[in-house]
Amino acid sequence: MSNSVTLHYTEEGQGIPLVLLHGYPFSGAIWQTQQQGLSSNYRVITPDLRGHGQSPAPDGVYEMELMARDVLALLDSLNVQKAAIMGHSMGGYVTFALWRLAPERFIALGLIDSQAGADSEEGRQGRYKTAEKVFEDGSQVVAQAMVPRLFAPSLPDSEPIVEQARTLILNTRPVGIIGTLKGMASRPDSTALLPAIKIPTLIITGDKDQIIPAQKAEGMAEAIPMATLVTIENAGHMPMLEQPQAVTMAIRNFLDELPQ
Ligand code: MLT
């Protein structure tokens, strides 16, 4: 654990710990509504993963396992032995890495607009090209490419969440974006793990996700034995921002059903 970094996080509420991991290149701030809505019954912890938000952004490749070790170090420092751990998109890749490292730390698992597969060779090359462009021209490269595809196509550009997402991306330091792109490119395929995830698992997807299509969520729900699939209508890749109450409700309903 010596190369783990100390993560910035927010924490609200008491009860079963719920760890919400954000995707790339955002921060724990994307979970604000869910944290407020769930903290009446749960201890909701939202870290900023390395290279994101207010956490340190060291040089290097951010392997998903490395990011997972940072989260384990945070849980240790908070005396959290077990938690419901859920990840959005890249946060889901980190969740799989956590499951590989320490399945005993999970009460339940969640995957939100995420996928189990690794990148195709073309996808990997695309990530390396983007990393080069970000090195030259900064985080705006990613904001320009990603913002138009983040939300359901029917969402007007004037909605404040569009600006919020753009700002979060622009505030992510290039070194963090580059480290994460390279780490995602080298992540392992987690598909073979799915049948062995024998704990309650919540899978959420926006029905109009243009980045990771809803079919990926349906495939994972078929392969994971105790999966609950919730499809959020009129949401793209960011249902926690696009339909925040529906996502809060889906997580609450799922957690409330967990054996005590
Ligand atoms: C994310 O939202 O975390 C990313 O879109 C994931 C990815 O690029 O694979």
Side-chain angles (χ1 to χ4, degrees):
M1 293 241 178
S2 56
N3 53 0
S4 65
V5 301
T6 303
L7 298 181
H8 176 268
Y9 68 97
T10 64
E11 180 179 9
E12 222 177 296
Q14 286 174 355
I16 294 176
L18 167 65
V19 179
L20 296 174
L21 302 176
H22 62 81
Y24 154 90
F26 298 104
S27 78
I30 62 164
W31 300 114
Q32 199 183 6
T33 308
Q34 288 72 40
Q35 188 170 41
Q36 281 167 2
L38 295 165
S39 59
S40 49
N41 299 80
Y42 298 97
R43 180 181 177 189
V44 188
I45 300 164
T46 62
D48 290 346
L49 295 167
R50 71 163 57 203
H52 296 79
Q54 295 178 59
S55 285
D59 276 325
V61 178
Y62 299 177
E63 305 279 358
M64 299 299 105
E65 184 182 322
L66 194 57
M67 291 175 124
R69 286 190 189 279
D70 295 338
V71 176
L72 283 178
L74 174 65
L75 296 185
D76 289 344
S77 75
L78 294 173
N79 277 323
V80 171
Q81 294 313 316
K82 278 176 165 270
I85 303 175
M86 304 190 177
H88 169 241
S89 200
M90 177 209 52
Y93 312 158
V94 177
T95 303
F96 282 126
L98 273 162
W99 176 260
R100 276 196 181 81
L101 286 172
E104 73 283 357
R105 305 294 287 264
F106 283 77
I107 296 169
L109 190 150
L111 298 160
I112 295 133
D113 292 79
S114 195
Q115 61 189 337
D119 283 353
S120 63
E121 189 46 39
E122 192 190 351
R124 256 189 290 272
Q125 294 312 324
R127 299 226 200 248
Y128 292 127
K129 274 206 194 96
T130 305
E132 276 171 29
K133 286 193 205 148
V134 171
F135 182 76
E136 281 159 22
D137 295 328
S139 309
Q140 54 160 352
V141 168
V142 175
Q144 270 166 16
M146 218 172 161
V147 171
R149 300 172 61 224
L150 277 180
F151 301 104
S154 55
L155 188 85
D157 286 347
S158 55
E159 282 292 321
I161 56 169
V162 178
E163 210 39 50
Q164 185 189 353
R166 193 191 321 277
T167 303
L168 284 169
I169 297 175
L170 291 174
N171 285 344
T172 308
R173 288 145 291 181
V175 65
I177 291 187
I178 293 167
T180 307
L181 280 166
K182 292 179 179 172
M184 288 195 291
S186 67
R187 75 185 189 280
D189 190 333
S190 297
T191 310
L193 286 184
L194 302 178
I197 300 179
K198 294 192 174 132
I199 56 168
T201 300
L202 176 63
I203 299 180
I204 296 179
T205 182
D207 64 345
K208 302 196 171 61
D209 190 334
Q210 302 175 73
I211 293 184
I212 300 181
Q215 290 90 316
K216 301 268 183 182
E218 289 156 14
M220 292 194 296
E222 275 166 28
I224 297 176
M226 297 166 76
T228 302
L229 173 65
V230 178
T231 303
I232 308 284
E233 289 188 11
N234 294 317
H237 191 58
M238 307 297 288
M240 78 296 289
L241 299 179
E242 299 173 81
Q243 303 294 343
Q245 307 306 342
V247 171
T248 302
M249 188 72 80
I251 298 176
R252 179 181 286 286
N253 289 344
F254 171 79
L255 292 177
D256 286 353
E257 292 292 310
L258 291 178
Q260 292 301 309

